[in-house]
Amino acid sequence: MTDQAIHYQCLVAVHSTIAGLGLDGLAVDRVYKRKVLTDRNTVLQFVQVFFPPLAETDLGGTTGEDDFGYPVGVAVVDGDDADYELTEEQAKPVWWKQRIRGAFHAKRLQGVPVSFYCLWEPAPVIDMGLWQTANIWVSGGIIRCVTRERRP
């Protein structure tokens, strides 16, 4: 048994898994782990793992065990020139998002012993407000880390 919160274990495991994916064109030190989504102390073109403003879910369970879903946010962020043309290079955030989804959806979370499986809850492909006002491409989703925990 560990002295760390399960939700924190999930966030750390998601962060280390994404950092280990070797996302094309993204340096490992640009995969950030934060409390909340922010651009503070970041360099554009990054992936950020954070606690989203969402509740855990109680998914029932079995006799003596409960299934909980812990949300972990993933944001894929890149600068953009607000040009409407799209090149393969500019579409990298979509590729990163696809790779991240594939690393987690319907799979156990490595490094979290009570992990049962993960679900991918997608966000819009692009946040149009940020793209239009700040020339930033932001996308991502929620990785819902489902655990099976023994009742105390």
Side-chain angles (χ1 to χ4, degrees), residues 82-148:
D83 184 3
Y84 288 93
E85 297 299 319
L86 181 64
T87 66
E88 185 177 344
E89 181 67 25
Q90 291 168 322
K92 275 189 181 173
V94 178
W95 173 236
W96 296 342
K97 184 177 172 178
Q98 179 180 329
R99 293 268 323 274
I100 292 167
R101 181 191 70 219
F104 295 99
H105 188 68
K107 296 179 182 171
R108 285 183 184 258
L109 189 57
Q110 296 299 313
V112 181
V114 294
S115 172
F116 197 44
Y117 62 92
C118 295
L119 295 172
W120 175 258
E121 301 170 13
V125 174
I126 189 168
D127 181 320
M128 285 301 293
L130 285 173
W131 185 77
Q132 291 172 331
T133 61
N135 291 333
I136 298 174
W137 181 316
V138 178
S139 188
I142 301 298
I143 297 170
R144 182 76 56 175
C145 304
V146 178
T147 62
R148 179 155 287 167

Side-chain angles (χ1 to χ4, degrees), residues 31-129:
V31 179
Y32 300 111
K33 178 178 61 178
R34 300 285 196 260
K35 290 181 196 173
V36 296
L37 181 59
T38 180
D39 63 354
R40 182 180 283 168
N41 299 321
T42 61
V43 176
L44 263 184
Q45 194 175 63
F46 63 88
V47 172
Q48 190 171 118
V49 178
F50 60 96
F51 290 125
L54 299 171
E56 297 94 345
T57 50
D58 183 345
L59 303 168
T62 63
T63 303
E65 296 177 319
D66 295 307
D67 295 350
F68 294 103
Y70 295 96
V72 176
V74 176
V76 176
V77 182
D78 197 5
D80 198 70
D81 58 10
D83 184 3
Y84 288 93
E85 297 299 319
L86 181 64
T87 66
E88 185 177 344
E89 181 67 25
Q90 291 168 322
K92 275 189 181 173
V94 178
W95 173 236
W96 296 342
K97 184 177 172 178
Q98 179 180 329
R99 293 268 323 274
I100 292 167
R101 181 191 70 219
F104 295 99
H105 188 68
K107 296 179 182 171
R108 285 183 184 258
L109 189 57
Q110 296 299 313
V112 181
V114 294
S115 172
F116 197 44
Y117 62 92
C118 295
L119 295 172
W120 175 258
E121 301 170 13
V125 174
I126 189 168
D127 181 320
M128 285 301 293

